[in-house]
Amino acid sequence: MGHKVYEFSYYHGNDDRDSRKIILQAELSDNRLNIKKSIVDFTFDTGAIDVVCSAAALGITITEEQFIDKFNTACVYRRRIAHSVSIRYYRYELSEFRLGNLRLYNVPIYISFERDAKSRLIGMSLLRFFDILIRPEFKQVKLTETDTLLEYLKEHGSLKDCDKYAPETYLDFGIEQGTDESNTLDEQAAEAAYINKLLKSNLNRRMTP
């Protein structure tokens, strides 16, 4: 039995900072947080360790204090975004995380209730389970299941706790050579090179306590 393959369209952000980022739409659901098919744009980023999002983007309506009381949780780590500014994040296992026809369950996600929490990232805790092919010409990402994913699901039943096994190496991935005559080879090469640079971001650029 072969490994399943999933393909998704991606797009780039509108401003200069996001103009080359790979952005995917995910559909998220969680009964405990009353999240019902919330659509969130995530940046595909192998330079990040975790799946990260703000409470506002997820559509969470309870306050930070109510969240702490309800789930008996504490701040997991702070991410520094400026010399004197850091953001609190809380670990939570989201019931369902969907990308196209790929459905993943009990996905660990790190949530912040702070106004400055802008990052929405799909990091290595999730991406390490797939072989990745980037298709710049068609603005597509192709994910292929790996033995690592199947073995993990067989043992655990879901992706619960997958963030506790942080990888120490880069993912293997490919970038497909384009044939679209509407883009010059130089343009395709430039985009592929930029994506390549993004995907090989140093893993040390992780969330710092």
Side-chain angles (χ1 to χ4, degrees):
M1 182 178 178
H3 294 169
K4 292 182 180 178
V5 178
Y6 306 91
E7 292 187 353
F8 321 103
S9 296
Y10 70 82
Y11 66 95
H12 300 307
N14 295 323
D15 57 39
D16 292 340
R17 184 177 179 182
D18 295 335
S19 63
R20 290 288 185 145
K21 288 183 179 179
I22 298 174
I23 301 175
L24 304 172
Q25 279 196 338
E27 182 182 292
L28 313 178
S29 299
D30 190 280
N31 289 333
R32 294 175 299 167
L33 286 174
N34 198 31
I35 299 173
K36 299 179 180 179
K37 297 185 177 180
S38 180
I39 305 299
V40 180
D41 293 337
F42 281 91
T43 298
F44 181 97
D45 187 356
T46 62
I49 293 296
D50 299 307
V51 179
V52 176
C53 194
S54 68
L58 288 170
I60 296 174
T61 57
I62 60 176
T63 66
E64 183 174 0
E65 291 74 18
Q66 290 170 330
F67 180 89
I68 293 171
D69 290 341
K70 183 173 183 177
F71 300 107
N72 191 28
T73 187
C75 175
V76 175
Y77 59 67
R78 292 176 180 269
R79 182 187 184 198
R80 186 169 298 280
I81 62 171
H83 180 68
S84 60
V85 179
S86 62
I87 296 177
R88 296 185 301 276
Y89 282 90
Y90 301 88
R91 184 184 184 277
Y92 183 79
E93 289 183 357
L94 197 70
S95 297
E96 183 175 338
F97 190 102
R98 182 174 179 178
L99 287 167
N101 60 340
L102 170 61
R103 294 191 179 195
L104 301 169
Y105 301 97
N106 298 332
V107 174
I109 186 170
Y110 289 78
I111 300 171
S112 178
F113 289 80
E114 298 188 37
R115 183 177 300 176
D116 291 328
K118 305 297 184 183
S119 296
R120 299 188 297 271
L121 307 175
I122 300 177
M124 289 286 284
S125 62
L126 188 59
L127 296 177
R128 68 190 178 92
F129 291 108
F130 299 91
D131 289 329
I132 302 171
L133 178 66
I134 307 297
R135 309 179 71 195
E137 179 184 3
F138 302 104
K139 296 292 188 293
Q140 286 184 335
V141 175
K142 181 160 71 174
L143 302 182
T144 303
E145 293 179 341
T146 62
D147 290 337
T148 302
L149 173 63
L150 300 181
E151 290 168 3
Y152 193 93
L153 293 177
K154 183 177 180 180
E155 180 177 353
H156 300 275
S158 69
L159 290 179
K160 178 182 175 68
D161 292 335
C162 70
D163 58 322
K164 297 181 180 179
Y165 305 92
E168 298 298 331
T169 58
Y170 295 117
L171 286 174
D172 291 327
F173 64 92
I175 296 180
E176 184 177 80
Q177 183 176 358
T179 58
D180 184 358
E181 293 181 358
S182 65
N183 292 330
T184 68
L185 291 178
D186 286 344
E187 289 172 337
Q188 293 174 22
E191 177 154 359
Y194 193 93
I195 292 171
N196 183 73
K197 180 180 178 181
L198 288 178
L199 294 179
K200 283 197 172 180
S201 297
N202 194 321
L203 284 178
N204 289 328
R205 188 165 56 80
R206 63 179 64 191
M207 306 298 183
T208 54

